[in-house]
Amino acid sequence: MKNAPLKLPEVRWVDPGRLTAGLDRHQRMDLSAHTRVHPPLPEPDQEDLLALAEAVGLSGRGGAGFPFARKARATLAAADRTGTAPVIVVNGAEGEPASAKDKMLLARVPHLVLDGACLAAAAFDAEEIVIGVAAGSPGEISVPAALAERELPCPARTVSLPERFVSGESGALIRGINGLPVTPAPLKARAAEGAAGGVRGRPTLLSNAETWAQLALAARLGPDAYTAVGTAAEPGTILLTVNRPGADPLVVEVPTGTQLGPVLDACGLQPGAGVLVGGYHGAWLHPSEAADAPLSRAGLAALGGTLGAGAIIALPDDTCPLGETAQVAAWLAAESAGQCGPCKRGLPEAAEALAMLAAGAVEPAVLQDARRALGAAQAGGACSHPDGTARFLLTALDVFSEDVDAHLFGPGCGRPVRGVLPLPPAKGARLKVDWSRCTGHGLCAVLAPGLIHLGPHGYPTSATIPVAPWQEHDARRAVNQCPALAMRLRRPVSP
């Protein structure tokens, strides 16, 4: 394990670092290094551990920010009611391209994450610990190696999940653990209640990797020392992933409430055209308010932002904001599970409108329709994906309003799209029309209405967004049944 190559982001920290302690001396901390850096772990009972989590105000660090103790109490109540032992789940399936903090924790300090999960497993008499990791990530190697080094309070295993945006959604993760397709559950069910929402129907306590690591820190430090940094309402430190154009991202640990400006300065960045906080389910901040923005859930919420999973991107002035946003919108639309109206229709239509706006080929009415579709998507989906995507896109239209006007009513902003917003390599196929064959039958628009629309003269216009997995069937039908054999399904060429 020591010689395994780990391509990981550089880490920076406050002095002294907590989650990042020891990483100035170790690329990865095995159990021996971990025990030299961190003092022995206490063994609190159930009530002591719950009281600790409440005293330090521990909340989820995966995006939703739900109070850990409340979730744990609901899980324990369901376990008592059903007479079944709970399952502890570590969510390390980080499908957000702009976030790397949980991958870093599982790859470089896996024992700190396992400490927190083992504390809960021992205190709550858990049946099993399951750690979800992204397929192909360093955690696939690091976590099993860490499990093999230590004594565990119950059986533990890792589960590899496809690296898709929705894989990190709690319901999708549990479905993957249960051997089902890794998509959000069609009907919402609480993991804590077990039944249809938990691992094998057991009451399940699920939190992301950073949350478990924070629990381990709180147990070692105690409430007074843990709350000595941060804000009164949100004590402690947080991990941020600060993305840099043309360079690897930095994972940065700072006290909660730290202003965004000094963090950007420390990473060699400026607010530029705007700053995205919270990743692709987050919100854009105008550069005039970004520097003083406090990095806490409450502080960012007051500005219309969200901390989310802590991903930050400062958009440079030399790239087209709308073109950048349109590329991410197309990717987010294709990453959906396609199980509800907002994902099946709202997000693709909004992504198509953004692409047309970036190209300078859209009427104001199309943009207004996109705003309405995104507004309807908020809180209207089967999971949080349409809501988060709508926030990302609507705040982009507001913060980059001058660019919107330039593209709507003028020649555009004149800047190229540099691809600053990180996205994985293209994998989805795209529908293309062979215009030398097409005779305007229009059958393709009937067979694949979410992918193909008929233009004003009755000829098809294929969508610019990739074909999502749930659209593959319709796409193939359109290709196979085209009377003129004019449709093609083209996949990206592998490098």
Side-chain angles (χ1 to χ4, degrees):
M1 184 64 215
K2 289 182 179 179
N3 296 323
L6 299 177
K7 183 174 174 55
L8 297 166
E10 181 184 343
V11 173
R12 296 182 183 177
W13 50 88
V14 294
D15 187 20
R18 290 182 169 186
L19 297 165
T20 53
L23 292 182
D24 56 337
R25 304 187 301 278
H26 303 279
Q27 171 70 1
R28 175 188 180 273
M29 293 203 294
D30 60 13
L31 184 59
S32 175
H34 176 72
T35 54
R36 289 195 301 270
V37 171
H38 296 285
L41 195 66
E43 298 179 3
D45 61 20
Q46 182 179 123
E47 285 305 317
D48 286 342
L49 190 60
L50 291 170
L52 171 70
E54 290 173 336
V56 302
L58 181 62
S59 61
R61 304 303 176 93
F66 196 82
F68 177 87
R70 192 188 308 173
K71 188 189 297 185
R73 288 190 185 280
T75 305
L76 293 169
D80 289 341
R81 186 173 61 252
T82 59
T84 56
V87 175
I88 303 298
V89 173
V90 177
N91 187 354
E94 202 169 29
E96 161 76 74
S99 182
K101 67 182 182 69
D102 290 329
K103 290 186 180 72
M104 185 281 293
L105 288 171
L106 292 174
R108 301 190 65 178
V109 288
H111 287 286
L112 192 59
V113 178
L114 295 178
D115 280 349
C118 288
L119 275 176
F124 302 158
D125 295 322
E127 177 181 279
E128 184 183 27
I129 298 171
V130 185
I131 304 99
V133 300
S137 70
E140 276 193 315
I141 300 172
S142 178
V143 174
L147 290 173
E149 288 184 296
R150 60 188 294 156
E151 294 184 8
L152 300 165
C154 62
R157 61 189 171 107
T158 58
V159 174
S160 296
L161 300 146
E163 194 167 8
R164 293 195 64 216
F165 195 86
V166 295
S167 294
E169 195 270 340
S170 60
L173 171 59
I174 289 176
R175 281 168 60 83
I177 294 171
N178 287 336
L180 299 172
V182 186
T183 56
L187 297 176
K188 292 182 179 180
R190 295 177 62 191
E193 295 295 329
V199 174
R200 299 189 311 280
R202 270 50 171 192
T204 300
L205 179 56
L206 182 151
S207 283
N208 87 310
E210 185 188 345
T211 310
W212 292 114
Q214 293 282 1
L215 181 65
L217 286 176
R220 286 187 167 97
L221 293 171
D224 291 343
Y226 185 90
T227 59
V229 301
T231 68
E234 301 173 47
T237 64
I238 51 174
L239 285 180
L240 309 168
T241 307
V242 181
N243 293 265
R244 302 178 295 172
D248 291 335
L250 296 172
V251 174
V252 183
E253 183 180 12
V254 299
T256 309
T258 300
Q259 289 186 326
L260 177 56
V263 174
L264 294 177
D265 288 342
C267 299
L269 300 171
Q270 296 297 321
V275 181
L276 178 65
V277 290
Y280 295 155
H281 275 181
W284 288 94
L285 298 180
H286 194 274
S288 63
E289 61 184 4
D292 295 330
L295 291 167
S296 67
R297 297 188 185 281
L300 290 173
L303 298 173
T306 176
L307 183 61
I312 295 174
I313 308 174
L315 195 67
D317 290 314
D318 60 352
T319 188
C320 173
L322 298 182
E324 296 279 354
T325 303
Q327 289 185 345
V328 177
W331 181 78
L332 288 169
E335 283 291 293
S336 79
Q339 296 180 144
C340 62
C343 275
K344 294 181 74 171
R345 299 303 298 270
L347 298 189
E349 289 176 3
E352 192 72 13
L354 262 292
M356 294 169 65
L357 175 63
V362 65
E363 296 294 326
V366 175
L367 187 58
Q368 292 166 7
D369 289 342
R371 282 185 178 273
R372 279 194 291 271
L374 291 170
Q378 291 185 304
C383 70
S384 62
H385 185 61
D387 181 75
T389 301
R391 178 170 51 234
F392 167 77
L393 296 178
L394 288 171
T395 57
L397 293 175
D398 291 339
V399 170
F400 306 127
S401 58
E402 292 183 4
D403 295 275
V404 171
D405 290 343
H407 282 255
L408 272 178
F409 307 114
C413 67
R415 288 167 285 183
V417 181
R418 294 179 52 211
V420 172
L421 299 185
L423 288 173
K427 293 183 291 186
R430 294 177 186 266
L431 275 175
K432 300 291 183 182
V433 180
D434 183 348
W435 295 110
S436 67
R437 291 176 175 269
C438 181
T439 55
H441 286 88
L443 179 62
C444 54
V446 176
L447 297 174
L451 291 167
I452 299 171
H453 307 282
L454 297 182
H457 303 293
Y459 282 84
T461 60
S462 57
T464 60
I465 66 173
V467 177
W470 51 271
Q471 295 174 313
E472 286 267 1
H473 176 71
D474 287 350
R476 290 197 189 96
R477 282 204 309 165
V479 171
N480 295 335
Q481 297 185 37
C482 175
L485 302 179
M487 298 300 300
R488 301 285 187 271
L489 189 61
R490 294 183 178 174
R491 299 186 183 277
V493 178
S494 299

